[in-house]
């Protein structure tokens, strides 16, 4: 989880000090959490996710973080299938010409 916190913090251009101040923690404590040498309380993890504007899933389960909800995945799959269908139609039209 610490690597994910660091990744999202850096992606937002936020320093450890800035995140620590926003959370009411020391920068050293945030560093320990990011390195995994200390565990964060559930309250702290929730506060971090809110501060970084990222879901708890994204912090705890990085492999599923981008997946979104089932409805979002279904919507994305439908869009992909629609785009693939259009591409196939375009290719078929080009081949017929």
């Amino acid at each position: 989880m610490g690597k994910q916190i660091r990744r999202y913090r850096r992606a937002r251009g936020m320093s450890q000090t800035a995140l620590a101040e926003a959370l009411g923690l020391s920068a050293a404590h945030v560093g320990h959490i990011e390195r995994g040498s200390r565990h964060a309380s559930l309250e702290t993890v929730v506060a971090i996710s809110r501060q970084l504007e990222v879901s708890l899933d994204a912090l705890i389960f990085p492999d599923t973080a981008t997946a979104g909800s089932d409805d979002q995945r279904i919507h994305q799959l439908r869009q992909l299938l629609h785009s693939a269908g259009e591409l196939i139609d375009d290719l078929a039209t080009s081949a017929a010409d």
Side-chain angles (χ1 to χ4, degrees), residues 40-58:
S41 68
L42 179 58
E43 181 180 287
T44 299
V45 173
V46 169
I48 290 170
S49 76
R50 287 181 179 158
Q51 188 62 42
L52 297 178
E53 298 177 346
V54 64
S55 72
L56 288 171
D57 284 357

Side-chain angles (χ1 to χ4, degrees), residues 1-10 16 19 23 25 29-50 52 54-63 65:
M1 179 173 55
K3 289 179 184 179
Q4 292 304 107
I5 292 169
R6 177 176 288 147
R7 187 181 113 208
Y8 286 107
R9 176 184 58 76
R10 286 180 174 170
Q16 282 185 345
L19 178 59
L23 299 170
L25 301 172
H29 189 75
V30 170
H32 283 292
I33 292 170
E34 288 185 352
R35 288 187 302 280
S37 58
R38 287 197 188 150
H39 295 287
S41 68
L42 179 58
E43 181 180 287
T44 299
V45 173
V46 169
I48 290 170
S49 76
R50 287 181 179 158
L52 297 178
V54 64
S55 72
L56 288 171
D57 284 357
L59 294 180
I60 299 169
F61 305 109
D63 294 337

